[in-house]
Amino acid sequence: MAVVPVVGAGLLLLALLLAGRGWRLAWWGPLGLAALVLLGSPWWPRGPELVEDRVGLLADAERERLSDYHALLGADHGIDYRVVIGRELGDLDRFAVDHFRRHGLGAGGDAGRGLLLVLDVAANEVRLEVGHGLEAVFVDAFVAYVEARQMTEFFAVGRVADGILASTELIVAQAETAEGEVLPALAGSGGAGARMPARLGEGATAADEAQVVIADGATPHDVLAAYRRAMQQRNDNPELAIYGRETRRMLADWVMTPAQMDNMARSLAGCPVARELTAADARRVVLLAPVAERRCPPYFFVREGEAWRLDLAGMMQAVRFGRDNRWRLEVGALGPYGFGFEGMALDANGYPVVP
Amino acid sequence: MDAGNGKRGIDGGIVRLLIIVLLGVGLISVPWLTHSRLVAGEEAVDAAWADVESNLQRRADLVPNLVRSLRQYMTHESETLVRLVRERAEALSEALGEAHEIETSRIAGLDAALSQDLGRLMRQAGEHPDLRSGDQFLRFQAQLEGSENRLNVARMRYNEAVREYNAGLRGFVGRWVAEPMGLRSRDYFEASPAATEPFAVEF
């Protein structure tokens, strides 16, 4: 809607120009149009509201962040993903189907690619309804997994917006694996999806207390392998022996969901280590996957005492992921790990240039 | 004066002709349009029933895999329930495959019985701690609940289509058009009270 004041200002200027040239009748036209544009803009039809928060659960900034992210999901993957947060919505399954139909989710084009997340704060239930065109991509089991193993983990500690965003990342990843020919489908939904307890106000679940077993003199490769085992076992203990001091401090307040750990385990299983780079003082190491593996991030290690530890805190500062889950570098935040990327060609956004 | 009398005669004749033509058009078009609407309504009912059948079959097809996977977690006492669920799913599949005319009441009854016993089976399975905490149970639960919900939506839409169609048949013109055209009212998809009676299982 930023175009409205620009267009209005342009028309006003045109009117003034015509009046200055003595075109007294002609300048009424642009003046009238300018008035119509500037004064009538509040009544112009707007696009659909992507995040409808009927109970004020989300802060304005959170709602805007979610709306922006879901708009990008629409632009990148043609998925119309909307959120409704309400109270006492009745039968959530019925509400979702009716809302889908009434608001024409996914009705653009003929692909029926709509998603609707409904959260009832009074019933403490959440449902993700899947449109006809996406049923083959987001099967019921996947939706239940996203809700139970990712989304509601955040809901339990009061981070509703973060939970929705975190689940959208899984949705994006799944959409990318299924990218291909878009088959025509009916608009609307037929009851596909899943409903789960939302776990609002439940509080954080107690972290695992199991430790990882790692031999004395373990190399960074061994530590990475131990980390992969911990993620496979969904060990969310923030005090694992393989974590550095800063990493343990960071993870103490971290929401580590089962889905994130599964994702990490899969990533580690599918990402080979191509190079090991050691700092000049031999106290830091970077393990790099082949640059062409754009979804395989680098891993940082720091030597504390006589043992190598995983420095996830350092990685969080320096390694970021785009919407397509490809990693990039925040060059200014590399700190002591810059040695690992000397000579690596990066684009303006910090994405490695694949030779 | 003669010209004026002649003009009034012509006007009267034209008006009468117009009335006759309009009556004729009405007598033909109203039943024809009503018949078209009723036929479209019947097609909508058939399409909605096809959706119901497809969802019933989908759920019945889930049962063998579910039973096989849950067996290792079930106690000996649950074996009867497992067999009952399997038998009910097979009976429903057979009914869907054999029905030449839509026997909605019978199928609704079989469906209600299967739903009831599946619910009991999942509740019993959920009491097993190893199964309940794992993703496998989450997957089973999601697949079954997803099927149930799809079936509920399909059933609701089928009943809506039947309601509109049956209302058309009972309309002022519809009742005269339906009988000679062989259009009959359709049953709602509702289980009879006998649907929850014990199902005879042979071992």
Side-chain angles (χ1 to χ4, degrees):
Chain A
M1 296 308 285
V3 71
V4 169
V6 170
V7 170
L11 288 167
L12 272 174
L13 276 172
L14 180 61
L16 285 169
L17 184 67
L18 291 173
R21 287 174 182 261
W23 291 21
R24 299 205 179 190
L25 291 177
W27 68 266
W28 279 106
L31 186 65
L33 278 174
L36 194 68
V37 164
L38 291 170
L39 298 176
S41 61
W43 288 275
W44 287 13
R46 297 174 189 273
E49 193 176 358
L50 296 181
V51 179
E52 186 186 335
D53 180 3
R54 301 177 182 181
V55 296
L57 188 66
L58 303 174
D60 288 345
E62 288 176 326
R63 198 172 55 250
E64 280 178 29
R65 189 161 58 110
L66 279 176
S67 293
D68 291 345
Y69 200 79
H70 289 189
L72 291 171
L73 186 64
D76 292 346
H77 300 283
I79 294 176
D80 182 3
Y81 183 12
R82 304 190 203 175
V83 177
V84 174
I85 301 173
R87 185 187 304 278
E88 293 173 355
L89 300 176
D91 180 340
L92 217 59
D93 299 335
R94 182 76 185 261
F95 176 89
V97 167
D98 287 347
H99 191 94
F100 223 99
R101 181 178 46 82
R102 270 203 316 277
H103 293 267
L105 266 83
D110 59 356
R113 293 167 68 85
L115 288 175
L116 174 66
L117 182 73
V118 185
L119 172 61
D120 187 330
V121 298
N124 206 356
E125 285 187 330
V126 62
R127 177 171 181 85
L128 182 62
E129 181 80 9
V130 179
H132 286 300
L134 291 172
E135 282 189 40
V137 179
F138 307 120
V139 298
D140 298 342
F142 170 80
V143 173
Y145 173 82
V146 167
E147 289 174 349
R149 304 293 185 237
Q150 179 85 327
M151 189 188 298
T152 56
E153 294 282 326
F154 286 92
F155 286 8
V157 294
R159 292 170 59 182
V160 173
D162 288 340
I164 297 173
L165 270 176
S167 61
T168 305
E169 288 172 3
L170 293 183
I171 287 168
V172 167
Q174 182 70 6
E176 285 180 347
T177 61
E179 236 44 321
E181 187 187 350
V182 174
L183 299 173
L186 290 174
S189 73
R195 174 167 47 91
M196 284 284 151
R199 300 172 54 198
L200 295 169
E202 193 178 276
T205 47
D208 203 333
E209 292 183 352
Q211 263 296 348
V212 293
V213 175
I214 190 150
D216 292 337
T219 66
H221 284 259
D222 297 332
V223 170
L224 192 63
Y227 180 55
R228 178 184 155 188
R229 284 195 301 276
M231 293 298 100
Q232 282 173 335
Q233 292 158 10
R234 290 182 177 174
N235 187 340
D236 61 352
N237 184 357
E239 296 290 325
L240 290 180
I242 54 172
Y243 294 147
R245 276 189 296 276
E246 287 303 313
T247 298
R248 292 182 199 189
R249 259 196 285 274
M250 180 186 78
L251 293 178
D253 296 323
W254 205 257
V255 175
M256 199 184 297
T257 68
Q260 286 169 341
M261 289 186 275
D262 293 344
N263 217 27
M264 188 61 69
R266 268 195 301 273
S267 169
L268 288 164
C271 290
V273 174
R275 288 196 296 160
E276 178 177 332
L277 297 148
T278 308
D281 62 0
R283 298 208 66 79
R284 294 188 194 264
V285 158
V286 173
L287 293 183
L288 287 170
V291 173
E293 298 290 342
R294 300 298 301 111
R295 293 191 174 96
C296 294
Y299 282 88
F300 297 177
F301 297 83
V302 60
R303 196 164 184 87
E304 292 176 354
E306 293 304 313
W308 286 104
R309 310 273 190 221
L310 186 58
D311 187 3
L312 292 177
M315 284 171 60
M316 285 298 301
Q317 297 292 320
V319 181
R320 303 294 171 89
F321 290 86
R323 289 201 310 273
D324 54 359
N325 289 331
R326 294 168 192 238
W327 68 272
R328 63 180 180 86
L329 288 177
E330 284 287 341
V331 176
L334 276 171
Y337 292 99
F339 68 90
F341 304 94
E342 288 169 0
M344 181 180 284
L346 302 172
D347 70 10
N349 295 314
Y351 287 97
V353 174
V354 179
Chain B
M1 264 176 101
D2 288 337
N5 287 341
K7 187 178 174 185
R8 277 198 297 277
I10 290 169
D11 283 347
I14 288 173
V15 167
R16 276 196 291 275
L17 183 63
L18 272 173
I19 290 170
I20 290 167
V21 165
L22 283 171
L23 274 174
V25 165
L27 282 171
I28 294 168
S29 65
V30 168
W32 176 64
L33 288 171
T34 303
H35 177 253
S36 296
R37 188 168 47 81
L38 289 174
V39 165
E42 192 182 39
E43 285 296 316
V45 169
D46 287 341
W49 178 251
D51 205 23
V52 170
E53 274 192 330
S54 134
N55 281 295
L56 283 169
Q57 190 64 60
R58 174 198 168 105
R59 192 183 57 178
D61 290 345
L62 277 176
V63 169
N65 276 341
L66 176 69
V67 161
R68 201 164 28 246
S69 302
L70 288 181
R71 202 164 222 135
Q72 59 180 309
Y73 298 99
M74 306 304 286
T75 62
H76 180 69
E77 289 76 19
S78 302
E79 274 297 317
T80 308
L81 181 57
V82 168
R83 285 186 201 184
L84 188 63
V85 165
R86 202 178 58 233
E87 295 279 339
R88 290 205 193 277
E90 284 168 5
L92 182 57
S93 285
E94 278 174 25
L96 289 170
E98 288 171 2
H100 298 293
E101 285 189 359
I102 297 171
E103 303 173 34
T104 49
S105 179
R106 177 169 162 247
I107 290 173
L110 291 170
D111 168 57
L114 176 59
S115 286
Q116 196 173 42
D117 288 328
L118 266 175
R120 282 170 53 203
L121 182 65
M122 291 303 288
R123 273 193 300 277
Q124 282 196 17
E127 289 167 6
H128 197 287
D130 286 347
L131 182 60
R132 193 176 57 245
S133 62
D135 285 353
Q136 197 177 27
F137 186 72
L138 184 69
R139 194 165 52 247
F140 290 148
Q141 202 172 30
Q143 286 172 341
L144 276 178
E145 287 181 0
S147 285
E148 289 284 350
N149 194 43
R150 282 180 179 76
L151 195 48
N152 284 339
V153 172
R155 183 168 35 222
M156 188 176 65
R157 289 174 179 167
Y158 170 77
N159 286 339
E160 270 176 29
V162 167
R163 186 167 44 248
E164 281 181 25
Y165 172 67
N166 287 351
L169 286 179
R170 293 175 60 188
F172 181 74
V173 177
R175 71 181 67 194
W176 299 108
V177 169
E179 186 65 34
M181 299 293 183
L183 298 171
R184 291 181 178 75
S185 67
R186 303 288 282 272
D187 297 330
Y188 290 98
F189 188 76
E190 288 166 342
S192 65
T196 53
E197 284 177 6
F199 181 83
V201 175
E202 293 181 4
F203 294 99

